[in-house]
Amino acid sequence: MRIAVTGSSGLIGTALVRSLREDGHQVVRLVRRPPRAEDEVEWDPQRQWVDTAGLTGCEAVVHLAGAGVGDRRWTDAYKKEIRDSRVLGTAAIAEAIASLDAPPRVLVSGSAVGFYGDTGERAVDESAPPGHGFLPDLCQEWEEAAAAAQEAGVRTVFARTGLVISAEGGAWGRLFPLFKLGLGGRMGSGRQYWSFIALRDHVAALRHVLDTPELTGPVNFTAPNPVTNREITAAMGRVLRRPTLLTVPAPALRIALGEMSGDVLGSVRAIPRRLLDSGFSFACPHVDEAIKAALT
């Protein structure tokens, strides 16, 4: 297959491109600068422009680009940057796809389990309604921005991603060094659920979605056994053989992180119902396995 990927230099995109190429697929990488290689195609999400000639012949598009939600404190300016990078970028990709004489068969567009808001101890699957707040509102707009592709008859999947366990980057990439030094500990009460997924499972799930025609709409990209922050802290200690006695109190997190602390202290217990029902098999369904996989 010829597959276009945005966000190909990010944590998930890098692993996905490697996986696809190892299996002989031709990957086109969308970049926000003039192309420097034959496999690159230019696009500008802010201007909502894509060099559509580079998408010709693509059977699938995987859209992963967007400013990192946890990269910086949520000032009004950065929240706008997060929103614009996702909503405008998705609209640009969807409209470019819709304009092609022969559009790709499938668009897999990034989203997040932040769609559900704080679910407490309640488990939610893809049928659950959106929550309230910045992230749920963002995720709704983000997914709605793909409307042009859907209206053009392109099978569109929204990959609602949880916390990706990897030592190579992302939120977990910042946790590993702390825990290795014995400075890791629970955050707040530790009772909040963190819906995680191993990086290798995320890539495998993307490949599964591309190859499964009956999957459309939202799909939770999370392991089937979400656990609390307290349980994750204990698992990190077990796997890394380090003490985990420290605690970051909720008030300290609110001071340090501002509005973003609500995402860290909030609870999302998401279940990957649609992946499981479609026959996907997780290599790392439990958190200890996912942590060990990230270290190999």
Side-chain angles (χ1 to χ4, degrees):
M1 292 174 63
R2 178 176 166 89
I3 302 168
V5 179
T6 75
S8 62
S9 61
L11 175 67
I12 298 169
T14 298
L16 174 64
V17 169
R18 184 189 310 121
S19 172
L20 290 169
R21 286 180 169 164
E22 285 174 352
D23 286 345
H25 297 290
Q26 181 184 3
V27 178
V28 174
R29 297 181 296 120
L30 275 74
V31 297
R32 289 171 289 180
R33 52 168 172 73
R36 298 172 186 160
E38 291 183 358
D39 67 340
E40 295 182 343
V41 172
E42 188 176 3
W43 78 309
D44 187 334
Q46 290 295 323
R47 290 196 296 119
Q48 295 186 268
W49 173 83
V50 180
D51 181 0
T52 54
L55 299 181
T56 302
C58 287
E59 297 177 64
V61 175
V62 181
H63 173 46
L64 301 172
V69 170
D71 288 358
R72 286 161 47 190
R73 191 181 179 92
W74 286 359
T75 62
D76 288 344
Y78 192 59
K79 285 199 293 184
K80 184 179 185 302
E81 182 178 337
I82 293 170
R83 179 198 172 277
D84 287 352
S85 71
R86 284 164 166 71
V87 177
L88 298 182
T90 301
I93 292 295
E95 288 164 11
I97 286 171
S99 73
L100 296 172
D101 292 335
R105 297 197 308 264
V106 57
L107 166 65
V108 180
S109 187
S111 187
V113 294
F115 177 94
Y116 305 109
D118 190 338
T119 71
E121 296 186 358
R122 175 173 54 92
V124 292
D125 63 17
E126 294 87 350
S127 65
H132 303 282
F134 171 65
L135 280 182
D137 291 348
L138 169 65
C139 290
Q140 288 179 79
E141 286 189 79
W142 192 0
E143 295 181 8
E144 289 167 359
Q150 293 175 296
E151 291 166 3
V154 176
R155 177 170 68 92
T156 303
V157 177
F158 301 108
R160 291 180 180 167
T161 298
L163 289 166
V164 179
I165 298 185
S166 170
E168 300 171 23
W172 226 285
R174 294 192 287 271
L175 290 179
F176 271 112
L178 292 174
F179 276 87
K180 286 179 178 179
L181 290 171
L183 300 176
R186 65 177 172 84
M187 298 184 184
S189 70
R191 293 193 295 269
Q192 68 273 29
Y193 276 87
W194 281 13
S195 296
F196 69 90
I197 185 169
L199 178 60
R200 66 178 61 179
D201 276 333
H202 197 294
V203 171
L206 286 170
R207 299 284 304 270
H208 174 78
V209 165
L210 289 174
D211 296 335
T212 307
E214 62 268 25
L215 280 174
T216 187
V219 177
N220 287 343
F221 277 54
T222 59
N225 301 290
V227 289
T228 64
N229 173 260
R230 185 188 298 271
E231 291 170 312
I232 283 170
T233 299
M236 290 285 280
R238 283 194 300 273
V239 174
L240 297 174
R241 299 182 180 181
R242 293 291 187 275
T244 56
L245 302 177
L246 300 178
T247 300
V248 184
L253 279 170
R254 293 189 182 99
I255 292 170
L257 301 178
E259 184 180 355
M260 189 172 66
S261 65
D263 189 41
V264 175
L265 297 170
S267 181
V268 184
R269 191 178 183 181
I271 305 298
R273 181 65 56 207
R274 302 197 67 206
L275 279 178
L276 294 171
D277 288 349
S278 64
F280 181 74
S281 179
F282 285 84
C284 305
H286 300 283
V287 69
D288 288 63
E289 297 163 334
I291 295 169
K292 290 175 183 176
L295 299 172
T296 60

